Amino acid sequence: MDSTRQKKISRLLQKEISEIFQREMRAVSMGTMVSVTAVRISPDLGQAKTYLSIFPTGNIKEVMEQIDEQTAQIRFALGKRVGKQMRIIPELKFYVDDSLDYLDNIDRLLKK
C-alpha cells in the first residue's frame, strides 16, 4: 500500500519525466511518441519504476535501449527540475507498459 507521500512523489515524477521526454529527450525517442503511464516509488523514495507507453510499437526494443543508455542524463534533468522539492533524486528504472496492447488484444478477441 502506497503512502500519501509516495503517491504525491509518484505524480510529481510522472509529470516531470513526461515533460523531459517531450522537450529535452526527443533524440532518444527516435521519432516515436513516448508517454509516461505510471511511476511507482519505493517506500524509501530511493527507486522509481517508470512505465512507458511507446507509439508506434514497431521499434520498442531499440527505443528502450536508447532510454536505458540515457538514464543518467534523464535523472540529471529530473534533478534540475525537482531538486528543490526532493532531497534525494531516485534511481530510475524504465519498463514498457503494454496494457494498451493487452486491451486491444481483448477487444479483438471479443469481436470475433
Side-chain angles (χ1 to χ4, degrees):
M1 186 62 63
D2 289 344
S3 68
T4 304
R5 179 161 176 79
Q6 282 175 287
K7 291 177 185 174
K8 286 181 182 179
I9 297 293
S10 293
R11 284 192 303 266
L12 173 70
L13 293 179
Q14 181 179 359
K15 177 180 159 279
E16 295 298 335
I17 292 171
S18 64
E19 285 184 13
I20 288 170
F21 276 117
Q22 288 176 356
R23 293 194 173 96
E24 299 174 22
M25 297 290 168
R26 287 194 167 216
V28 173
S29 62
M30 297 170 27
T32 60
M33 185 176 73
V34 177
S35 59
V36 181
T37 56
V39 175
R40 307 250 189 274
I41 190 116
S42 64
D44 67 349
L45 307 179
Q47 293 183 347
K49 292 182 179 178
T50 306
Y51 295 91
L52 304 175
S53 177
I54 300 171
F55 184 81
T57 59
N59 57 352
I60 288 178
K61 190 172 184 174
E62 293 87 13
V63 173
M64 285 304 292
E65 287 173 1
Q66 286 281 36
I67 290 171
D68 287 339
E69 290 175 6
Q70 302 293 325
T71 300
Q73 292 173 335
I74 296 169
R75 185 175 180 223
F76 180 76
L78 181 65
K80 287 195 297 187
R81 289 173 173 260
V82 299
K84 303 284 188 208
Q85 299 161 357
M86 296 180 67
R87 191 170 53 113
I88 297 172
I89 306 304
E91 291 288 328
L92 299 174
K93 302 237 188 260
F94 294 102
Y95 300 96
V96 176
D97 183 13
D98 56 357
S99 60
L100 293 176
D101 295 335
Y102 181 72
L103 290 174
D104 287 340
N105 187 26
I106 289 175
D107 282 343
R108 212 171 339 112
L109 291 173
L110 289 175
K111 288 181 181 177
K112 285 184 178 181

